[in-house]
Amino acid sequence: MGQRKANFIGLDIGGTKMEGILWRGGKIVSTMQIRTPRTRPVFLRALLKLVSFLGMSGVRGVGLSVAGAIDLRQGKILSSPNLRFLKNFGLRDWVAKRLKTAVRIDNDANCFLRGELMFGRARGKKHVVILTLGTGVGGGVAIDGKLLSGHQVSAAELGHIVLSREGGRFLTLEDLVSSHGFRRFGIADPLALQNKGFAGDKKAIAIYRQIGTYLGAGLASLINIFDPELVILGGGISRADYLLLRPALREMPKHTLHSLKVLPPVKISKLKHAGALGAVTLFSAK
């Protein structure tokens, strides 16, 4: 990473939590995590308080990883299903004005991918697909080592691929595999369900089997399209590990092209603070 000795702050802003890191001398020296407020004024105050806790002394820039569709040219959040109060808000410039420092912004899934490419399982890889499974489903794609951005800089919204139809409504990967998918089974807290599944609860295992099957079908579509050398799963729901991954890996080969003689490995991220690290890499000279 370029500017390795400089100080930067990385903020990972999701629908449930906000996490910040202070990067100094090529390593994380402090971290802070808080719940994401539900209104804009409270959110903005909390963001500044989070930065204040981390400390601005000697900081040369703040990177923002934000869930939602981002206009990178204007630094504006166009929409965010789980941060609706930030719709059409120019967060980058607002933060830069108050902190009087350089600020860069990107989608949270892209930042997660940046973090994995620089510091995690994807280091040294050129063709990578990532999914972040949490409140929603985010996606990121690296092709020849470069992030796929698209004509309007909004490509790789992989959570919105359509997988199924229920009544008159089409269901996306996000509908079926994120927290929304668990609510279809009456589960309000997927993390609590994980503990039951690890303890051998048959109902919990059956729910993960169904959701993992949906995930496997979605992964097959992404592999058919992008032919990656590696797929990485992140986010709170991915912590279910084998409960989710085993049914996904059983289902995935049923829908992949026969021309793909070797399917890519699907790995769960082990990188702590991946999104915040990815926000820091927005200042990389690379």
Side-chain angles (χ1 to χ4, degrees):
M1 178 180 173
Q3 306 184 51
R4 185 171 291 275
K5 296 301 180 182
N7 296 353
F8 296 98
I9 285 176
L11 300 180
D12 186 20
I13 301 168
T16 303
K17 64 181 176 67
M18 299 166 58
E19 179 181 63
I21 65 170
L22 176 61
W23 175 268
R24 178 183 296 153
K27 62 182 181 180
I28 296 172
V29 295
S30 64
T31 67
M32 180 68 175
Q33 181 177 300
I34 60 174
R35 290 189 64 81
T36 304
R38 307 318 303 167
T39 66
R40 185 186 294 182
V42 179
F43 167 84
L44 294 175
R45 288 197 297 270
L47 187 152
L48 294 180
K49 189 174 181 179
L50 179 57
V51 170
S52 176
F53 172 86
L54 294 167
M56 282 295 296
S57 178
V59 168
R60 294 179 55 183
V62 174
L64 303 176
S65 162
V66 184
I70 312 294
D71 183 331
L72 298 183
R73 299 181 183 92
Q74 297 187 52
K76 180 185 292 187
I77 301 168
L78 300 176
S79 65
S80 180
N82 302 303
L83 300 168
R84 296 180 187 276
F85 55 87
L86 292 179
K87 183 176 181 180
N88 292 322
F89 183 64
L91 184 63
R92 181 194 65 192
D93 293 347
W94 187 92
V95 174
K97 182 177 180 181
R98 272 124 189 109
L99 298 182
K100 299 184 181 354
T101 191
V103 177
R104 297 180 184 176
I105 190 170
D106 202 351
N107 169 269
D108 61 335
N110 280 342
C111 285
F112 178 91
L113 176 54
R114 291 176 188 277
E116 286 290 341
L117 287 168
M118 191 69 72
F119 304 106
R121 290 186 181 271
R123 193 169 186 177
K125 307 293 185 185
K126 291 187 175 182
H127 304 277
V128 181
V129 168
I130 65 96
L131 288 176
T132 55
L133 312 176
T135 310
V137 173
V141 179
I143 299 175
D144 286 327
K146 297 180 180 179
L147 268 64
L148 180 66
S149 58
H151 174 60
Q152 299 183 67
V153 201
S154 62
E157 288 289 352
L158 307 181
H160 296 282
I161 64 171
V162 175
L163 284 187
S164 181
R165 183 171 180 169
E166 189 174 86
R169 179 172 176 249
F170 288 98
L171 298 177
T172 66
L173 186 62
E174 180 166 287
D175 292 325
L176 296 168
V177 180
S178 72
S179 294
H180 306 299
F182 285 88
R183 282 197 287 271
R184 288 163 48 82
F185 293 93
I187 304 299
D189 186 356
L191 299 184
L193 190 72
Q194 287 180 16
N195 294 330
K196 292 182 179 180
F198 290 141
D201 184 274
K202 291 183 179 180
K203 181 180 178 181
I205 292 170
I207 291 173
Y208 274 108
R209 185 182 302 121
Q210 183 61 65
I211 291 177
T213 298
Y214 291 137
L215 175 60
L219 289 173
S221 294
L222 300 177
I223 290 167
N224 289 338
I225 295 167
F226 297 111
D227 186 20
E229 59 187 308
L230 175 65
V231 177
I232 300 176
L233 305 179
I237 288 172
S238 73
R239 295 177 196 148
D241 201 83
Y242 63 85
L243 294 170
L244 186 70
L245 202 53
R246 283 177 183 171
L249 293 178
R250 283 196 297 267
E251 188 69 20
M252 191 175 76
K254 299 176 184 178
H255 310 285
T256 50
L257 297 172
H258 294 299
S259 58
L260 297 172
K261 296 181 176 61
V262 179
L263 296 183
V266 179
K267 302 290 186 180
I268 295 173
S269 174
K270 300 299 183 185
L271 182 63
K272 293 182 179 180
H273 319 296
L277 279 168
V280 169
T281 70
L282 293 172
F283 289 91
S284 170
K286 184 178 178 180

